[in-house]
């Protein structure tokens, strides 16, 4: 019964959300036809709302794909700059084409390489970080993400429930056990991390939102 209710809720949310047209609709069709994973419609709307609330000037995205979420994020800002990391050349080429058509060439900049190699080379702070890359490697990215996130900044982690498998062993596929174990470790870590205040939302495939707390000098009298 719970699965039926969950499916009904998800279906209703997607039905009530306004449908995209133009370039974003074209990108959604391209992603579906070419089996490219992009963010769920409800996650896209969540990103848009959070971006309008947070008003980030500097955004970091880990995982570009075809540039869909980067365009969603930058379209919700007035002058925000976004750096995105992507390892695949073919994805970068396609993303840059869509970004150009969106008129966001001056706001979105893509760095090629594996995130675990690129992240430590970045030397600026970000108001918002969107983590949407290899699910089994979130823990490897986290230390750099926390370091790069300014105090008062927001880290958004997508797909953290991983098709429901993270929530219950009942749904775990044997070949996915390692990814599920690592994602559970990641969620436990961000929930208990002293520098973060985090929540977990059953939106899309699961979204974790983490606020970076102001550092407190415990030795100060």
């Amino acid at each position: 019964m719970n699965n039926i209710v969950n499916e009904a809720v998800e279906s209703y949310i997607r039905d009530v959300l306004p449908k995209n047209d133009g370039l974003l609709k074209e990108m959604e069709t391209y992603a579906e036809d070419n089996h490219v994973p992009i963010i769920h419609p409800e996650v896209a709307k969540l990103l848009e709302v959070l971006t309008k609330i947070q008003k980030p000037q500097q955004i970091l995205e880990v995982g570009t794909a075809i540039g869909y979420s980067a365009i969603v994020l930058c379209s919700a800002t007035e002058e925000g700059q976004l750096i995105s990391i992507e390892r695949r050349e073919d994805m970068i080429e396609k993303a840059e084409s869509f970004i150009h058509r969106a008129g966001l060439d001056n706001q979105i900049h893509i760095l090629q390489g594996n995130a675990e190699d690129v992240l430590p080379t970045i030397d600026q702070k970000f108001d918002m970080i969107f983590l949407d890359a290899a699910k089994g490697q979130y823990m490897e990215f986290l230390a750099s993400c926390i370091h790069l996130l300014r105090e008062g900044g927001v880290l958004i982690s997508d797909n953290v429930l991983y098709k429901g498998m993270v929530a219950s062993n009942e749904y775990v596929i044997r070949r996915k056990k390692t990814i599920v174990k690592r994602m559970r470790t990641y969620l436990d870590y961000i929930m208990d991390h002293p520098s973060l205040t985090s929540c977990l939302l059953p939106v899309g495939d699961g979204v974790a939102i983490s606020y970076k707390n102001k550092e407190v000098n415990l030795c100060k009298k």
Side-chain angles (χ1 to χ4, degrees), residues 117-135:
D117 298 324
V118 176
L119 284 168
T121 69
I122 300 175
D123 61 358
Q124 69 180 89
K125 294 291 185 178
F126 295 90
D127 307 298
M128 178 180 286
I129 298 178
F130 181 50
L131 183 53
D132 186 24
K135 306 304 171 279

Side-chain angles (χ1 to χ4, degrees), residues 40 42-43 158-164 201-207:
H40 294 238
E42 57 272 34
V43 176
D158 197 19
N159 301 120
V160 293
L161 293 179
Y162 200 60
K163 306 181 191 302
L201 305 177
V203 177
D205 197 21
V207 176

Side-chain angles (χ1 to χ4, degrees), residues 60 119-127 129 141-151 155 193 195-196 212 215:
L60 175 64
L119 284 168
T121 69
I122 300 175
D123 61 358
Q124 69 180 89
K125 294 291 185 178
F126 295 90
D127 307 298
I129 298 178
F141 306 148
L142 183 59
S144 291
C145 287
I146 293 175
H147 172 70
L148 293 171
L149 190 65
R150 71 164 179 82
E151 293 178 0
L155 168 65
H193 197 286
S195 294
L196 302 175
K212 186 171 181 181
E215 295 182 5

Side-chain angles (χ1 to χ4, degrees), residues 84-102:
S84 189
I85 302 172
E86 175 59 49
R87 64 181 181 85
R88 291 178 51 179
E89 290 185 21
D90 59 330
M91 287 290 101
I92 292 175
E93 182 178 349
K94 195 66 182 177
E96 288 179 338
S97 173
F98 282 128
I99 290 166
H100 176 72
R101 291 174 58 193

Side-chain angles (χ1 to χ4, degrees), residues 9-196:
V9 169
E10 181 181 270
S11 178
Y12 173 75
I13 291 173
R14 292 186 179 180
D15 285 343
V16 80
L17 286 173
K19 302 298 184 291
N20 290 317
D21 54 16
L23 183 63
L24 286 179
K25 178 60 178 178
E26 180 183 335
M27 294 178 75
E28 292 165 3
T29 301
Y30 177 89
E32 183 176 1
D33 291 345
N34 293 275
H35 309 289
V36 177
I38 61 173
I39 53 176
H40 294 238
E42 57 272 34
V43 176
K45 186 57 65 174
L46 176 64
L47 288 182
E48 181 183 350
V49 172
L50 288 174
T51 302
K52 287 180 179 292
I53 293 171
Q54 185 75 359
K55 296 179 174 58
Q57 292 301 300
Q58 299 294 332
I59 305 172
L60 175 64
E61 177 185 53
V62 184
T64 313
I66 60 172
Y68 185 86
S69 52
I71 290 174
V72 169
L73 286 163
C74 273
S75 295
T77 69
E78 293 184 2
E79 299 179 352
Q81 297 289 311
L82 184 145
I83 293 176
S84 189
I85 302 172
E86 175 59 49
R87 64 181 181 85
R88 291 178 51 179
E89 290 185 21
D90 59 330
M91 287 290 101
I92 292 175
E93 182 178 349
K94 195 66 182 177
E96 288 179 338
S97 173
F98 282 128
I99 290 166
H100 176 72
R101 291 174 58 193
L104 295 170
D105 304 77
N106 293 328
Q107 287 182 258
I108 301 174
H109 311 278
I110 303 176
L111 303 178
Q112 183 182 0
N114 292 317
E116 61 267 30
D117 298 324
V118 176
L119 284 168
T121 69
I122 300 175
D123 61 358
Q124 69 180 89
K125 294 291 185 178
F126 295 90
D127 307 298
M128 178 180 286
I129 298 178
F130 181 50
L131 183 53
D132 186 24
K135 306 304 171 279
Q137 295 179 273
Y138 276 22
M139 277 300 296
E140 296 178 32
F141 306 148
L142 183 59
S144 291
C145 287
I146 293 175
H147 172 70
L148 293 171
L149 190 65
R150 71 164 179 82
E151 293 178 0
V154 175
L155 168 65
I156 305 166
S157 310
D158 197 19
N159 301 120
V160 293
L161 293 179
Y162 200 60
K163 306 181 191 302
M165 287 186 273
V166 172
S168 173
N169 288 330
E170 179 183 352
Y171 307 120
V172 177
I173 301 171
R174 177 171 296 183
R175 68 178 183 276
K176 302 294 186 180
K177 282 186 176 180
T178 298
I179 293 177
V180 170
K181 182 178 179 180
R182 290 177 179 176
M183 188 60 78
R184 287 173 177 169
T185 299
Y186 175 80
L187 290 175
D188 288 342
Y189 194 81
I190 63 173
M191 292 298 170
D192 292 333
H193 197 286
S195 294
L196 302 175

